[in-house]
Amino acid sequence: RAGWFGAGAMAQATGLLHDLGKYTERFQKRLEGEVPRMDHATWGAVVARQRYPSLGPLMAYAIAGHHAGLANGTPGNEQSRRLSLTERFSRENLDGLPPLLSDWEREIALPERVVLPEGFTPRCPRGAFQLSLLTRMIFSCLVDADFVDTDNFYRTIEKRRLRAEGNGSPLPDLREKLNAHLVRFPREGGINPLRAN
């Protein structure tokens, strides 16, 4: 779905890396019922940052948060039980991760490079906002694809019809529908002029 907004390679790499932590002996023991819940996302975030220095940090947010939601970049909310991305990349946390098995490098073919969507040029003063929105779009695609894939796994076991993928409308069609809807709003008074602007 990220291809609709020009971020197909970025989303593909994010999807391929999101469960990388399952390539550990510890996770394999979890599959056998020997280990309780464990972090299987941080390894993918680490590799994303290593392989794709410019966009990997954005991908890391989506990968690290694909079950718990997007984390803060830095610590600050002491009431949150979720680690910030900075804390997840701390030496102490990384040292606590089980070793990653090398099998993944033979089994997962990552794109050579990822780039910003064509025509996407972050501009000051809104560049950080634009990049955060792109991150949220990639995150949304990842969470949706992960849910559909898991649901289809169980549907196969239960011999039910699989959930179809890619049934949505392309972004340009959605933009046309939104614009057609917005032109019906009053152009004067209240918040409508700001909304139109």
Side-chain angles (χ1 to χ4, degrees):
R1 295 192 168 119
W4 292 343
F5 55 92
M10 187 176 178
Q12 178 190 21
T14 301
L16 290 170
L17 290 171
H18 84 284
D19 278 345
L20 196 62
K22 292 181 178 180
Y23 279 90
T24 63
E25 290 292 341
R26 184 170 168 81
F27 192 86
Q28 297 308 306
K29 287 186 179 359
R30 174 166 167 63
L31 293 176
E32 296 167 6
E34 296 178 29
V35 176
R37 282 180 64 167
M38 60 165 288
D39 174 359
H40 68 273
T42 298
W43 266 124
V46 167
V47 170
R49 282 183 23 166
Q50 291 170 346
R51 291 280 173 105
Y52 308 109
S54 63
L55 295 177
L58 301 181
M59 296 163 54
Y61 278 100
I63 294 167
H66 77 273
H67 284 299
L70 292 171
N72 290 332
T74 57
N77 182 355
E78 284 72 31
Q79 295 172 334
S80 175
R81 292 179 300 194
R82 187 171 18 157
L83 294 177
S84 70
L85 204 58
T86 302
E87 291 168 318
R88 284 184 85 158
F89 288 125
S90 71
R91 178 57 40 211
E92 178 184 351
N93 190 58
L94 294 178
D95 286 346
L97 291 177
L100 194 58
L101 299 171
S102 62
D103 300 85
W104 79 268
E105 294 191 73
R106 288 188 309 279
E107 296 177 7
I108 298 177
L110 292 172
E112 284 297 315
R113 56 191 282 262
V114 296
V115 296
L116 289 172
E118 186 176 332
F120 180 90
T121 307
R123 292 186 177 89
C124 289
R126 298 179 55 82
F129 171 77
Q130 291 172 295
L131 290 169
S132 73
L133 183 60
L134 176 62
T135 301
R136 291 173 189 280
M137 296 287 286
I138 296 294
F139 173 73
S140 179
C141 289
L142 174 61
V143 170
D144 182 59
D146 197 32
F147 176 84
V148 169
D149 190 51
T150 301
D151 186 45
N152 279 340
F153 172 79
Y154 286 106
R155 285 171 180 258
T156 300
I157 291 171
E158 296 163 0
K159 298 190 182 347
R160 293 188 297 139
R161 188 173 57 85
L162 298 182
R163 180 187 293 259
E165 293 186 48
N167 288 348
S169 300
L171 204 53
D173 294 351
L174 294 174
R175 184 177 22 235
E176 279 184 37
K177 289 178 184 179
L178 176 63
N179 288 338
H181 178 73
L182 292 177
V183 296
R184 296 193 311 247
F185 281 84
R187 296 188 183 264
E188 295 179 17
I191 194 167
N192 289 319
L194 294 172
R195 193 178 277 137
N197 187 27

